[in-house]
Amino acid sequence: MDLATTFCLADTRGSKRMLRHLPSVFQRKFKVALFFLLLLAVLIHMVLDLAFSSGHGSCGCSPQIMDPMGLPPPNSILAVQNKMNLRNLQDFSGSNGSLEKGSHLLEDMLYPDGTNKQGHSFKHQEAKAKTEQAGRSKLAALFDHPLYKIPTPKITEKDKLFVTNPKIKFTLKSSESDDWISSSKADTVLLIRQMSPDTYPSWLRFHIGINRYELYSRHDPNRRVLLEDLAVHKIVRSVQKTGGTQLKVIMTFLNKGQALFKPMKQTRDQETSEDFFYFSDFERHNAEIAAFHLDRILDFRRIPPVSGRRVNITKEIRDITTDRKLLKTFFISPAGNVCFFGKCSYYCSTEHALCGKPDLLEGSMAALLPDEELAKRRSWRSPWRRSYSRSKKAEWELNQNYCTQVRQTPPYNRNSRLLSLIDMTVLDFLMGNMDRHHYETFEKFGNETFLLHLDNGRGFGRHSHDEMSILAPLQQCCIIKKTTYLRLQLLATEPYRLSDVMRESLATDRLSPILFEPHLKALDRRLQKVLDMVERCMKKGHDQEVLLEDQEGQQDVTSEK
């Protein structure tokens, strides 16, 4: 073989080897090129973001329309919020049939002439996005909803519990005899005589604000001040409250205000045993706090303000009490903690003593209502009261037509009393409170007034169980206030989810978290059960026979369905 032939063969073999390696070379170069392209795209994206942020601000707003706080001008916020309210108002669509029916009811309420009802249907997700874009909390959005802006009737002088005039005189509804005056009444009269209305302490402002329709107004600025006073104001006197089944302490503040202290008896995550009877259950301090917030979210406003507080039981109870019986129950535990147990029917013993760490004990502080010498209250036995027996059942538990005879008995045959009682039933069911044996009203207002939702300590005991018997008044009577139903509908939608607004509201309390998370989830589940029950009622009859206007509630409710 000559030299030329040898070179030719070598060249041929080299070509074949190059052809074999050619695909892998192209693959490596392609991967490198792709990597550089992706890197270039990322760099371009980062440069554009930086340029956009420096030119328009973090919120994407023009610098010319931003205020020093970084917010759009008021007109812009108002315009966005008005649009959002209108959209939220007309969107109650959902998988549940009662939600769909609620949307039509709400439209009819707001647009009775049939106008402006087209072209405003939006999904809940969009309503939620609008709320978040406006920087609003769910709770703030809820209280800004038109359903929470329905005005109360015009309040006249006779509709006020107390009346003040420019001469700073006070009209008191008191007993005929002034031979004996309680200390709280004397303090109230003294303050009224010595102070002008603009300098009244928060508790006195609360008392003066009570009227025929509400304990306090929706946006009363004094409410926050009163809650703060309950949580921090100096305590100068403590005595055990007489009566009742469990220990409660009445505390007097330096500004002459008073509050009812219910001490902590169990932790948040302790669930009431299913073997406990409702009448022997613990009274929970956090249930009192949560009940106040839930009552306000439902727009009832029938529970006096309640705040959580950590009390030094040595300095703020033992050392300042004038109650000798209470004082005798104090002792130091083997762990070195200060304990006491008081005198009462249940859980007042050494075995159930309340102990501080070493002397700090948390509890609920509920603002007391005006002294009964100033504003008498009437106690009413609930028609759906339980038997409070281990073996017997009440009549309403055995007779499904029980509501018929209730509606023939004053005051449930006329006015809004039965509807107000069903409001209270809904509140109790959401809390799981089976202990509503009585309720109260202010005597001055007669039968035309709201019901006081007092003593809620046995709520929020079992999150894993929904006690349907609490809803017996709603199930048997099949009526509910239209506005109550619409608010329940609203609280079942994502932008205003009941568990979310409750969680947000409770977070403002000094003892937060107030409720164990499963209790919050139970609120949503129970709310849906209330709506389902109303839906079943509406399937049995016409909507107008089940959903009554508040004004209609003051008329005869005994008409047969």
Side-chain angles (χ1 to χ4, degrees), residues 1-9:
M1 183 181 297
D2 60 9
L3 186 60
T5 305
T6 302
F7 276 112
C8 182
L9 290 173

Side-chain angles (χ1 to χ4, degrees), residues 257-367:
Q258 290 187 312
L260 185 66
F261 176 70
K262 285 191 177 182
M264 176 180 177
K265 294 186 174 72
Q266 60 185 43
T267 60
R268 308 285 198 274
D269 58 347
Q270 283 183 275
E271 188 172 21
T272 299
S273 169
E274 59 184 9
D275 291 324
F276 269 37
F277 287 101
Y278 51 88
F279 50 81
S280 60
D281 191 10
F282 285 113
E283 290 187 8
R284 287 165 286 275
H285 73 297
N286 60 317
E288 293 285 358
I289 300 169
F292 162 69
H293 288 262
L294 179 59
D295 179 80
R296 179 170 172 256
I297 285 170
L298 294 173
D299 201 44
F300 294 156
R301 288 168 286 121
R302 301 164 195 170
I303 295 179
V306 185
S307 181
R309 177 166 180 161
R310 286 184 177 85
V311 171
N312 186 312
I313 58 179
T314 299
K315 297 179 180 179
E316 296 178 313
I317 299 181
R318 189 191 69 181
D319 292 353
I320 61 175
T321 186
T322 57
D323 189 333
R324 293 184 179 180
K325 291 182 179 180
L326 176 63
L327 186 59
K328 290 180 181 180
T329 67
F330 277 84
F331 64 93
I332 304 298
S333 74
N337 296 321
V338 181
C339 306
F340 72 110
F341 52 85
K343 299 288 184 181
C344 60
S345 302
Y346 288 98
Y347 307 122
C348 281
S349 63
T350 307
E351 294 77 16
H352 296 99
L354 304 166
C355 299
K357 291 186 180 293
D359 51 10
L360 288 180
L361 178 64
E362 70 175 57
S364 62
M365 298 285 282

Side-chain angles (χ1 to χ4, degrees), residues 58-230:
S58 60
C59 68
C61 305
S62 175
Q64 287 80 7
I65 62 172
M66 299 294 290
D67 71 358
M69 296 293 291
L71 297 174
N75 292 340
S76 175
I77 293 178
L78 186 60
V80 172
Q81 189 59 39
N82 288 341
K83 290 180 181 179
M84 185 180 67
N85 285 341
L86 182 61
R87 292 170 181 175
N88 290 344
L89 197 61
Q90 293 185 331
D91 177 44
F92 283 82
S93 59
S95 58
N96 187 285
S98 62
L99 292 181
E100 295 175 2
K101 186 169 291 189
S103 65
H104 300 299
L105 292 169
L106 194 55
E107 286 182 349
D108 292 341
M109 181 184 75
L110 294 175
Y111 306 109
D113 57 354
T115 60
N116 296 327
K117 294 171 66 173
Q118 303 298 324
H120 293 290
S121 179
F122 292 85
K123 297 296 183 183
H124 294 150
Q125 290 79 0
E126 182 176 353
K128 181 181 179 182
K130 289 290 185 181
T131 301
E132 292 175 347
Q133 288 173 10
R136 303 290 302 281
S137 69
K138 284 191 176 185
L139 189 65
L142 178 71
F143 289 131
D144 197 44
H145 193 282
L147 278 173
Y148 287 77
K149 293 184 177 180
I150 300 173
T152 57
K154 183 178 180 181
I155 299 174
T156 62
E157 293 296 300
K158 67 178 182 179
D159 295 325
K160 297 178 181 179
L161 188 62
F162 299 126
V163 179
T164 57
N165 62 31
K167 296 182 180 179
I168 321 175
K169 291 183 179 179
F170 203 62
T171 302
L172 302 176
K173 183 179 178 63
S174 60
S175 60
E176 295 179 359
S177 173
D178 288 328
D179 294 338
W180 180 87
I181 299 179
S182 66
S183 59
S184 59
K185 177 181 176 181
D187 289 339
T188 302
V189 174
L190 185 62
L191 284 173
I192 292 298
R193 290 173 178 171
Q194 293 181 344
M195 304 175 70
S196 59
D198 58 342
T199 59
Y200 288 162
S202 59
W203 65 267
L204 187 54
R205 288 176 179 271
F206 165 55
H207 289 177
I208 291 175
I210 299 172
N211 60 66
R212 182 185 300 275
Y213 307 105
E214 58 194 2
L215 270 179
Y216 56 90
S217 63
R218 288 191 186 98
H219 306 291
D220 181 9
N222 183 63
R223 174 182 53 82
R224 291 186 179 181
V225 180
L226 178 56
L227 288 173
E228 183 69 10
D229 284 349
L230 291 170

